[in-house]
Amino acid sequence: MLQPDIQIGIDTFRADNFDCSPVFAVHVRSLDKGRENPEFLRDNADMLPVLDAALAADPKLRLLLMTDSEAVLEQYAGLYGDRVFNTDCARRRASSR
């Protein structure tokens, strides 16, 4: 069982962001991932054509972006506009593209 304040946060995020529209969720790692995977920049770039195709195929599709990077959040918001939504969390400010 979750603590009540955590459950309220989950319920609020769900009510505010999930309706009948389909959602494509993506977790874009950065900053720390480079130490584990030297190809992570290429891996992140490889996701973009997949997202482009999915979003083009369904105008109702929205994108849940999970990332630790403000730069990635800004990049995706610039590419996909208001179709992107995300949690409100601490992110690092650093180049991570």
Side-chain angles (χ1 to χ4, degrees):
M1 184 167 168
L2 294 175
Q3 295 179 10
D5 59 322
I6 293 173
Q7 187 64 58
I8 289 169
I10 292 168
D11 293 342
T12 301
F13 183 79
R14 184 196 224 164
D16 290 348
N17 293 288
F18 292 92
D19 54 18
C20 295
S21 301
V23 174
F24 192 124
V26 62
H27 180 206
V28 180
R29 297 282 303 269
S30 64
L31 305 173
D32 64 328
K33 194 61 178 173
R35 289 180 233 128
E36 298 172 29
N37 175 7
E39 301 297 323
F40 88 99
L41 289 174
R42 186 189 53 144
D43 293 345
N44 284 352
D46 288 347
M47 283 191 286
L48 295 177
V50 174
L51 293 173
D52 291 341
L55 291 166
D58 186 348
K60 293 181 181 179
L61 185 64
R62 297 174 60 229
L63 176 63
L64 171 57
L65 175 62
M66 296 162 282
T67 184
D68 61 348
S69 168
E70 286 184 27
V72 169
L73 183 57
E74 291 169 4
Q75 175 192 15
Y76 277 65
L79 290 169
Y80 305 116
D82 61 1
R83 294 176 82 176
V84 175
F85 67 102
N86 56 278
T87 59
D88 182 17
C89 67
R91 291 187 175 82
R92 298 183 203 171
R93 183 91 195 128
S95 177
S96 55
R97 292 183 198 170

